Amino acid sequence: ALLLHGANGFDSQFAGYNRYASELANNGIDAHLVYYYSRDDEDRMARGDDVFVARFASWTRLVADLAADLKQQKLSNGRIGLVGFSNGGTLAAGTGAIDPDIAAAVIYYGAEPFPLKDPVTRLPPLLILHGDADAIIPVEQGRHLADIARKLGGKPEIAIYPGERHGFGARLSTANATDGLARTIAFLRRELNAR
């Protein structure tokens, strides 16, 4: 599984992301933290530029290329999943839409891959986790992504957490984050055939 950070990268919550990856690994899922920003992206964001839409297609190709490389590794079972948080959740949906080799995607408080130029015609199996008090990416965005997946013939799993705000998945000491992680592990073990 490739873990895709939110807008702030890994720096502000590296310990949480690392713990999350460790929990996946402890449950038989190889987990890789993917930092998808380039130096130019970092410089532009430091100036206050919004690079998300402009760089989205490049980031999806980067993640797809990493997935293809991992799939070819000697110990790979050939199935790659994505776990994305916020911007990374939207990126996971976008990469899953363009790359038929993505076997599953977990979307934490993300949205439909709106920056893609072509309409979405496929999505991998999805697990969508969202708080209903999210003021940054409203829960309607998660529900809309689930609707798109259903229209494409998928059966997305969706869990809406009452009262949860944006970023709850990083707070692994809370009941809802623990539940989200447990759902993620069960979903990925099933979809990726992890042992």
Side-chain angles (χ1 to χ4, degrees):
L2 302 177
L3 277 69
L4 309 175
H5 58 76
N8 293 330
F10 288 123
D11 291 344
S12 64
Q13 299 178 350
F14 185 75
Y17 283 115
N18 192 45
R19 181 170 168 217
Y20 201 98
S22 295
E23 289 294 328
L24 291 176
N26 289 338
N27 283 277
I29 302 164
D30 291 338
H32 305 269
L33 301 176
V34 177
Y35 189 75
Y36 51 88
Y37 291 154
S38 69
R39 179 57 135 184
D40 184 58
D41 295 337
E42 292 171 349
D43 292 344
R44 290 173 62 193
M45 289 185 293
R47 290 192 307 264
D49 296 347
D50 181 0
V51 301
F52 187 75
V53 172
R55 295 285 293 144
F56 191 80
S58 295
W59 295 337
T60 59
R61 286 191 304 276
L62 170 72
V63 174
D65 288 347
L66 289 170
D69 185 57
L70 284 174
K71 190 174 174 182
Q72 299 302 317
Q73 298 299 311
K74 183 178 177 182
L75 298 177
S76 173
N77 73 356
R79 300 190 55 79
I80 304 294
L82 305 175
V83 181
F85 300 85
S86 189
N87 279 2
T90 304
L91 179 58
T95 305
I98 68 159
D99 185 352
D101 287 335
I102 300 300
V106 179
I107 313 297
Y108 274 88
Y109 27 88
E112 71 172 289
F114 63 90
L116 290 178
K117 292 181 180 173
D118 296 324
V120 174
T121 59
R122 72 159 311 274
L123 285 167
L126 297 179
L127 170 61
I128 300 166
L129 306 164
H130 220 110
D132 72 357
D134 192 326
I136 295 173
I137 299 177
V139 69
E140 290 76 22
Q141 293 291 328
R143 289 185 175 125
H144 183 62
L145 178 58
D147 289 342
I148 291 169
R150 284 185 202 100
K151 288 176 184 170
L152 295 172
K155 296 178 183 174
E157 296 178 32
I158 185 166
I160 307 297
Y161 295 94
E164 276 299 353
R165 296 164 294 141
H166 197 75
F168 73 88
R171 298 186 290 275
L172 288 174
S173 60
T174 67
N176 288 338
T178 301
D179 179 75
L181 177 57
R183 287 175 187 263
T184 298
I185 290 168
F187 175 77
L188 290 177
R189 286 182 60 82
R190 182 182 72 238
E191 297 297 332
L192 303 181
N193 300 314
R195 298 203 174 14

